[in-house]
Amino acid sequence: MKQVTQKNITILVFLFTLGTVFSQNGKVKQANNNFNDYAFMDAIASYEKLVEDGYSDEQIFKKLGNANYVNARYEEASQWYGKLVELEEAEIESDYYYRYAQSLKSIGDYEKSNQWMQRFSTSKSTDQRAKNFGNKEDYLERIKRNSGRYQLQNLSINSPVSDFAPSFRGNELIFSTARDTGITSRNIHEWDEGSFLNLHSAKISETGDLEEPKRFSKVLNTKTHESSSTFSEDGNTIYFTRNNSQNGKFSRDGKGVSRLKVYKAIFQNEQWEKATELHFNNDDYSVAHPTLSSDGKTLYFSSDMPSSLGASDIFKVSINADGSFGEPQNLGPLVNTESRETFPYVLDDVLYFSSDGHPGLGGLDVFAVKLDGSSNEVINLGKPLNSMQDDFSFIMDIEGKGYFASNREGGQGSDDIYAFVETEPIKFTCISKLAGVTKTLDSDDVLANVRILFMDGDAIVGETISDNAGKFEINLDCNIAQYTIAADKEGYIGTKQTLLLEKTSTTDLVLELAKEQPKTPVAGTNLLEYLNLNPVYFGLDKSNIRSDAKESLLKAVAYLKANPSVKIEVQSHTDSKASNGYNQRLSERRAKATVAFLVVNGINIDRLEQKGFGESLLSNSCNDWSKCDDRENELNRRSDFIVIEE
């Protein structure tokens, strides 16, 4: 903005802390006094005169940059910040890099702006603005993709001064303006040499045209700033911004700052009652720019109260059924940064707000974010709604028609109100949380470190790895109705399945992987040894399949199913107890029982042969069973799986 309106006042408090006392000759002292008294236009002139007289001082350049920056004179601010960063041995706080980058962006020098944002990010990596920049280094391309969705029109109601902060009240457009009110010059605001702000109204005709504006209310407009209004659905309750005042006049704190406060008033008996301030206002910080949620149960506003993350943050507070309020809650780092987040507006479940902390085109840009948690994306509304200058105080109805303010080139005044029509709605990335576990197919044991890909067609759109407990979580775009999930791990057979994603969390997804089978063994190989399986043992004088042998048998079945060309001969054996003839018949029964188990579990009999060897092929030296213990004799009571065809 070319003149300071209330969107800048919160930053003035921040800038007060930057005022450092230096050389106190007459000219410097007067310039400092102007700066510390917030007479920034006088301060700019004083400091510029000092530079003309040969002063080249770090503090002068800082204050010239800051004074121009808060007045949205970004070209001038970039010049002075540029001189500041060129000084050798200057102690420059990282926030000056950020404001320099923002100023460069506002004059269209995006390449140089990005260089200084890199410098800022390096020096202050934990800053939310640095994180946002690092996550969105392609922000200009993203903004380009979001552009072209609005048709704009400058309005005839605009004046040569500042007009901004539109709001809806039935068939009226209420807005704030600094146009000539007939008040004498003693009410000229020395911060920006502009008239005080008052609320005006313009009726919206059936064709959408605006009629000649009028003063909104003599009761609500006072000899201070009034701005940023919002109304209940019936239009009979207003919340608006006003400077801290007593008896209708400015009231300042111990630092000389007139803080901003939100006031409430009721319309009844065809007139507005005297406004009362909300209980969470405070003389030590500002509360401003209120807006109501669509259901009227929540009030959103901007403030620099102690829990703020930056120069001004967006908060919300619940409105109880009896009209009382809850405690304000900061909307957190998804929305708020260390810079300015301000002018909130809520339509259904979308919050629109202005910020110079999120990656934008320059100055304040308008952004949108979902309030229901279904997306973690903050979207820049793009051109032409956003520009290199300040774009703010966005409002829109459910039909996509709305208004906002901007100080872009080509306007009638310092800030103009523009009408717009949204030709294409914002499409947020819809987020659904998916959780599950990875396991082995046969044993049901958890399987750690499985790589899981989520694909939309052939495109990979998500990736994660299960942890040591086999668990995984991922946020997916729920605008994609069907995903293909591919899971793989070395030593296991990869698996794919289809997921129909609902717009709710899924926590019972189980992905099972079978252990990768070795290559086909050569003929003559004992398949059980090749697969590193326990032998199939039998009880003394028994031919039934023991329960402890079933695990090895089932894994052998899985291998045979996965390798249908392999044929085996089941060779069964006995210990040396009993006669040779008896042991031969017993081994044949064991071979028959083993083959039967394989057939019952799905292996074709044509792939199986069987043979009993009695006690002729003992696996140890226990040819006299009485000289061996039970374990040694058990080693001979077995079935082997010998590969006969690969």
Side-chain angles (χ1 to χ4, degrees):
M1 296 168 63
K2 299 181 182 68
Q3 299 185 30
V4 177
T5 56
Q6 284 174 297
K7 75 186 180 72
N8 293 103
I9 294 176
T10 53
I11 199 69
L12 302 184
V13 179
F14 166 72
L15 289 174
F16 182 88
T17 63
L18 299 177
T20 304
V21 177
F22 52 98
S23 176
Q24 293 297 308
N25 66 42
K27 292 181 180 179
V28 174
K29 183 176 181 180
Q30 182 59 49
N32 285 342
N33 289 339
N34 288 335
F35 188 91
N36 293 333
D37 288 341
Y38 305 103
F40 286 116
M41 299 306 293
D42 289 339
I44 290 172
S46 299
Y47 286 130
E48 287 179 345
K49 185 64 169 65
L50 288 172
V51 173
E52 289 178 6
D53 290 344
Y55 285 85
S56 181
D57 187 278
E58 173 185 339
Q59 296 301 328
I60 290 178
F61 292 158
K62 285 181 177 180
K63 291 185 176 182
L64 268 170
N66 291 337
N68 280 286
Y69 188 84
V70 300
N71 277 282
R73 294 157 57 101
Y74 296 119
E75 184 172 2
E76 292 85 351
S78 67
Q79 293 174 1
W80 296 117
Y81 288 142
K83 291 182 179 296
L84 172 65
V85 299
E86 290 174 358
L87 289 177
E88 295 182 3
E89 299 182 358
E91 295 182 4
I92 303 174
E93 298 87 346
S94 56
D95 273 357
Y96 283 98
Y97 299 148
Y98 184 81
R99 289 195 291 276
Y100 185 32
Q102 286 296 103
S103 299
L104 289 167
K105 191 184 297 182
S106 294
I107 61 174
D109 194 345
Y110 292 107
E111 182 177 352
K112 193 172 182 179
S113 172
N114 287 343
Q115 293 173 2
W116 284 99
M117 275 302 301
Q118 291 283 4
R119 179 85 171 265
F120 169 75
S121 299
T122 301
S123 63
K124 206 171 185 180
S125 59
T126 59
D127 192 292
Q128 189 61 40
R129 296 166 296 182
K131 294 177 182 178
N132 288 341
F133 177 76
N135 293 334
K136 298 179 180 179
E137 290 192 43
D138 62 341
Y139 70 94
L140 289 175
E141 183 59 34
R142 295 190 185 200
I143 292 173
K144 184 178 180 180
R145 291 197 296 267
N146 287 328
S147 295
R149 296 182 298 104
Y150 297 93
Q151 295 177 351
L152 308 186
Q153 178 188 357
N154 198 307
L155 299 177
S156 60
I157 65 168
N158 287 311
S159 68
V161 290
S162 185
D163 303 286
F164 69 106
S167 65
F168 295 116
R169 184 187 183 229
N171 66 342
E172 291 180 277
L173 186 73
I174 313 301
F175 64 98
S176 183
T177 179
R179 67 190 60 200
D180 183 16
T181 60
I183 299 173
T184 59
S185 60
R186 68 176 180 274
N187 286 330
I188 296 298
H189 187 195
E190 67 180 351
W191 288 339
D192 61 2
E193 297 180 333
S195 300
F196 287 104
L197 299 165
N198 281 317
L199 296 176
H200 278 54
S201 67
K203 286 190 176 182
I204 305 173
S205 70
E206 293 183 358
T207 61
D209 296 326
L210 296 176
E211 298 180 4
E212 185 66 24
K214 297 179 181 179
R215 289 282 295 276
F216 179 61
S217 168
K218 292 182 179 180
V219 175
L220 301 183
N221 286 321
T222 63
K223 296 177 181 179
T224 57
H225 286 302
E226 281 80 32
S227 175
S228 309
S229 59
T230 187
F231 293 86
S232 59
E233 187 175 5
D234 61 10
N236 292 330
T237 301
I238 182 177
Y239 298 90
F240 67 98
T241 305
R242 175 187 284 168
N243 284 92
N244 189 14
S245 62
Q246 290 182 354
N247 300 320
K249 296 183 179 182
F250 277 105
S251 176
R252 303 180 186 272
D253 64 11
K255 296 180 179 179
V257 180
S258 181
R259 306 285 177 171
L260 304 179
K261 294 184 176 182
V262 172
Y263 288 75
K264 175 183 177 181
I266 305 297
F267 186 77
Q268 59 183 10
N269 299 324
E270 299 301 316
Q271 64 180 0
W272 290 100
E273 294 182 347
K274 184 178 179 181
T276 58
E277 65 172 275
L278 304 188
H279 81 276
F280 48 84
N281 290 324
N282 194 291
D283 290 343
D284 294 328
Y285 54 77
S286 290
V287 177
H289 314 317
T291 192
L292 285 165
S293 60
S294 297
D295 62 7
K297 296 181 180 179
T298 305
L299 186 73
Y300 293 81
F301 60 90
S302 179
S303 177
D304 62 345
M305 62 178 58
S307 59
S308 299
L309 303 178
S312 62
D313 282 11
I314 294 174
F315 292 78
K316 68 176 181 179
V317 63
S318 60
I319 304 175
N320 301 320
D322 61 0
S324 62
F325 295 87
E327 291 301 315
Q329 298 178 17
N330 191 299
L331 293 195
L334 176 63
V335 172
N336 294 316
T337 71
E338 290 79 357
S339 287
R340 295 176 294 179
E341 279 69 47
T342 186
F343 287 104
Y345 181 74
V346 176
L347 180 62
D348 295 329
D349 61 356
V350 178
L351 168 70
Y352 298 89
F353 65 99
S354 289
S355 170
D356 60 1
H358 292 273
L361 296 172
L364 292 169
D365 275 14
V366 183
F367 296 83
V369 65
K370 295 279 279 188
L371 290 171
D372 60 5
S374 63
S375 176
N376 60 1
E377 186 177 17
V378 178
I379 293 180
N380 185 301
L381 297 192
K383 296 178 180 179
L385 194 139
N386 285 324
S387 68
M388 292 188 296
Q389 299 298 312
D390 288 329
D391 308 290
F392 57 100
S393 62
F394 174 103
I395 64 171
M396 184 172 67
D397 63 20
I398 58 174
E399 296 179 350
K401 298 178 181 179
Y403 303 88
F404 76 104
S406 177
N407 68 343
R408 65 189 61 195
E409 296 296 328
Q412 300 180 45
S414 60
D415 298 308
D416 278 7
I417 298 174
Y418 292 79
F420 68 83
V421 175
E422 185 180 64
T423 59
E424 182 184 345
I426 302 170
K427 184 177 180 181
F428 288 93
T429 299
C430 176
I431 299 299
S432 185
K433 183 178 179 180
L434 181 70
V437 63
T438 51
K439 295 184 175 183
T440 57
L441 177 62
D442 300 317
S443 66
D444 202 38
D445 293 333
V446 297
L447 191 58
N449 301 318
V450 176
R451 180 172 177 256
I452 309 164
L453 302 178
F454 297 84
M455 294 178 287
D456 179 16
D458 294 329
I460 297 174
V461 293
E463 182 177 349
T464 188
I465 297 176
S466 60
D467 62 18
N468 289 335
K471 296 180 180 180
F472 64 89
E473 289 185 0
I474 190 170
N475 290 328
L476 297 175
D477 182 356
C478 57
N479 288 312
I480 301 174
Q482 179 173 304
Y483 283 89
T484 299
I485 304 175
D488 69 84
K489 176 180 171 69
E490 186 175 357
Y492 291 81
I493 301 172
T495 181
K496 284 188 177 182
Q497 67 183 68
T498 299
L499 172 68
L500 297 176
L501 186 66
E502 299 179 356
K503 295 186 179 182
T504 55
S505 297
T506 301
T507 57
D508 57 354
L509 183 66
V510 178
L511 301 177
E512 295 181 309
L513 280 74
K515 190 171 180 62
E516 190 176 71
Q517 303 300 333
K519 295 179 180 179
T520 304
V522 297
T525 302
N526 186 337
L527 185 63
L528 297 179
E529 293 179 357
Y530 188 83
L531 297 178
N532 196 29
L533 300 176
N534 293 325
V536 176
Y537 291 123
F538 293 87
L540 179 65
D541 199 24
K542 302 292 184 182
S543 61
N544 61 292
I545 302 299
R546 295 189 336 195
S547 59
D548 64 347
K550 289 182 179 179
E551 181 178 355
S552 291
L553 286 168
L554 289 173
K555 289 182 177 180
V557 166
Y559 173 82
L560 291 171
K561 287 181 178 180
N563 297 272
S565 64
V566 175
K567 293 183 179 181
I568 63 170
E569 181 179 75
V570 176
Q571 299 180 356
S572 299
H573 309 269
T574 69
D575 59 24
S576 60
K577 188 177 182 180
S579 66
N580 288 337
Y582 183 87
N583 285 338
Q584 179 62 35
R585 291 189 295 274
L586 177 59
S587 67
E588 290 172 357
R589 292 197 300 272
R590 287 174 175 171
K592 184 178 181 179
T594 304
V595 168
F597 184 94
L598 297 177
V599 171
V600 168
N601 284 277
I603 304 303
N604 193 301
I605 188 64
D606 294 337
R607 299 174 61 193
L608 306 171
E609 295 184 10
Q610 62 190 58
K611 188 174 183 179
F613 287 86
E615 59 180 284
S616 62
L617 294 176
L618 298 176
S619 63
N620 54 28
S621 59
C622 294
N623 51 0
D624 183 352
W625 70 274
S626 63
K627 295 182 179 180
C628 295
D629 58 27
D630 290 342
R631 176 56 182 162
E632 290 173 322
N633 282 316
E634 183 185 49
L635 296 177
N636 292 314
R637 302 193 298 266
R638 70 194 190 279
S639 283
D640 294 327
F641 293 4
I642 305 303
V643 176
I644 57 176
E645 188 174 323
E646 300 176 23

